[in-house]
Amino acid sequence: MKSKNHHVLLIEDDLFLRELYLQALQKAGFIVQAAQDAQEGLDLLDEYGADLLVLDLMLPAHGGIEALHELQSHSDWQSIPVVVLSSVPRQRFVGADLTQLGVKHYLYKPDTTPEQLVNTLSQV
Amino acid sequence: MTRSEGPPDQLRLLAAAAHDLKTPLVFIKGAAQQWGSTGLNPAQRIELIRRVGQSADRMLKLIDSLIGSAQAEQTPLLLEPVAAGDVIWQAHQDIKPYADELGFDFHIRLARGLPPVLTHRLSLRRILFNLMDNAIKYSRRERRVNITAGKGADEQVIISVRDYGIGINQADMKQIFTLYGQAAEPTNALPGSSGLGLFIASTLAEAASAHLSVRPHKLGTTFRVGVPAARQLSLFA
């Protein structure tokens, strides 16, 4: 996905990280909406839509997995590619089939700099 | 020789601590990478380095809290008469840099004639810090936290921390002070972010002769800390 004019919805509860990623994505030319939690993210999705979702799995109140299920339940949102950005290593995540939930990439936060996030989104 | 495995609670605690320490570390690493990139103006650089400092500070406070909580479980704490108002202000000073960075207003109101409370000063300070931090975490548009202290029933002083945020699910209320969200191995249950701060507050409260409770509202939540008033010893008994 080329960055220019593509809409990204970023859902990340930590303010410092959210703004770090937001600035990096905007600098790369993405149009970004940023949310602190799943509900706010879904509200922004409803209002603005998105070409791609960057999602933290550990969110207050309702987790990221719940948000993914919500996405799949809406016909307008099912096809939005998802990049998960999580502090939980991929190999330790068991349970939900993330591919079925629209996840295209699983990025481990400690190994992912803002620049690497931008590179990944540019390839989606 | 078999690997020793800690009890499930210890694994949950480790998982929660690991997550809460990783977050600021990820920011620091990302900030270091961004610092080296072109395109940052001087104001952005200053903000970045300030946030690096605050992230390091948060990690240090968390480590102190974890150690304090572990010690409190092992060794009885020495309780003493403490001015609750002083501890409230100290905890507020601890959170203030972070709260200011996020644009939060803290309103503190202390009833007149508050008696001293019988508790462990440092533990109470950590409990209040964690409740204030939690209030910030769960707040959204309303960046306001109200803290009050007054006399309660049964010779107690009640300290309340009220936020106007997203609130707590009814289903989560029973486990609010536990590490329910931190399974040793993650599953698709990942219900929400770490409740480590509240778990530590609860552990410290038990050791410091304090009692924690929570009350949901339509908008936000109130956490209450009940601490016994210290009886004044009369020299002229």
Side-chain angles (χ1 to χ4, degrees):
Chain A
M1 172 181 291
K2 298 279 192 286
S3 57
K4 200 172 162 63
N5 294 328
H6 279 98
H7 289 246
V8 172
L9 172 61
L10 166 68
I11 306 181
E12 163 61 60
D13 67 320
D14 184 79
L15 169 78
F16 289 1
L17 277 178
R18 187 168 67 252
E19 293 197 350
L20 192 71
Y21 296 140
L22 173 71
Q23 284 164 12
L25 291 172
Q26 285 177 333
K27 209 164 76 167
F30 289 99
I31 299 166
V32 188
Q33 300 292 336
Q36 284 180 262
D37 57 64
Q39 187 55 56
E40 188 183 0
L42 293 173
D43 290 343
L44 286 173
L45 197 57
D46 205 25
E47 191 168 346
Y48 298 102
D51 298 314
L52 189 147
L53 169 61
V54 177
L55 176 68
D56 182 8
L57 291 182
M58 299 281 284
L59 298 168
H62 303 287
I65 298 296
E66 210 173 309
L68 288 175
H69 282 292
E70 187 71 26
L71 276 183
Q72 292 303 308
S73 69
H74 285 252
S75 55
D76 289 343
W77 298 343
Q78 282 169 354
S79 59
I80 299 174
V82 179
V83 172
V84 160
L85 189 54
S86 175
S87 292
V88 176
R90 179 69 180 91
Q91 62 271 23
R92 289 188 59 227
F93 184 82
V94 296
D97 184 339
L98 296 179
T99 312
Q100 292 267 349
L101 293 173
V103 175
K104 303 298 179 199
H105 290 276
Y106 190 110
L107 301 178
Y108 181 49
K109 268 187 201 171
D111 289 343
T112 307
T113 61
E115 193 177 303
Q116 286 165 329
L117 175 63
V118 168
N119 290 341
T120 301
L121 298 200
S122 302
Q123 292 164 28
V124 171
Chain B
M1 188 197 290
T2 57
R3 259 187 318 168
S4 64
E5 292 174 5
D9 277 352
Q10 282 190 1
L11 288 171
R12 285 190 180 88
L13 181 59
L14 274 172
H19 175 268
D20 281 13
L21 285 170
K22 275 186 200 176
T23 301
L25 280 169
V26 167
F27 172 77
I28 290 170
K29 184 177 172 180
Q33 187 248 322
Q34 287 294 89
W35 182 271
S37 73
T38 57
L40 283 183
N41 63 42
Q44 286 174 323
R45 286 183 187 278
I46 289 170
E47 184 184 69
L48 207 55
I49 208 71
R50 192 176 62 238
R51 289 184 171 187
V52 164
Q54 283 171 9
S55 296
D57 191 51
R58 286 176 69 74
M59 287 197 301
L60 289 167
K61 284 194 165 62
L62 174 60
I63 290 166
D64 280 342
S65 260
L66 282 165
I67 292 172
S69 160
Q71 282 175 336
E73 281 190 312
Q74 298 296 319
T75 313
L77 297 177
L78 179 63
L79 307 184
E80 56 179 348
V82 163
D86 287 353
V87 182
I88 291 169
W89 283 106
Q90 282 168 349
H92 175 246
Q93 287 305 305
D94 292 339
I95 198 105
K96 195 171 185 308
Y98 183 60
D100 286 348
E101 183 73 32
L102 273 64
F104 271 81
D105 281 326
F106 274 64
H107 300 273
I108 299 175
R109 204 170 66 241
L110 309 178
R112 285 178 187 274
L114 270 182
V117 293
L118 188 67
T119 188
H120 186 255
R121 175 187 292 273
L122 187 54
S123 296
L124 182 60
R125 184 170 168 177
R126 284 187 179 134
I127 290 166
L128 294 176
F129 175 86
N130 284 4
L131 294 183
M132 294 176 194
D133 190 55
N134 194 71
I136 289 173
K137 184 193 278 190
Y138 280 83
S139 291
R140 293 297 175 262
R141 287 187 187 88
E142 279 264 17
R143 300 203 163 206
R144 158 170 79 104
V145 178
N146 287 350
I147 298 161
T148 57
K151 289 183 205 172
D154 301 327
E155 294 186 14
Q156 288 215 321
V157 168
I158 307 292
I159 304 167
S160 299
V161 179
R162 167 86 155 99
D163 69 75
Y164 298 84
I166 60 176
I168 298 166
N169 292 334
Q170 203 58 36
D172 295 338
M173 288 286 288
K174 279 185 192 167
Q175 300 176 79
I176 193 73
F177 296 118
T178 69
L179 292 170
Y180 73 95
Q182 300 305 309
E185 287 296 316
T187 69
N188 63 347
L190 284 176
S193 64
S194 162
L196 185 59
L198 292 179
F199 171 75
I200 290 174
S202 159
T203 305
L204 289 172
E206 199 174 314
S209 190
H211 173 71
L212 279 183
S213 61
V214 56
R215 189 181 155 209
H217 306 283
K218 243 184 184 174
L219 184 65
T221 312
T222 294
F223 282 88
R224 285 202 177 108
V225 187
V227 201
R231 293 206 181 110
Q232 300 286 355
L233 295 176
S234 171
L235 292 174
F236 303 101

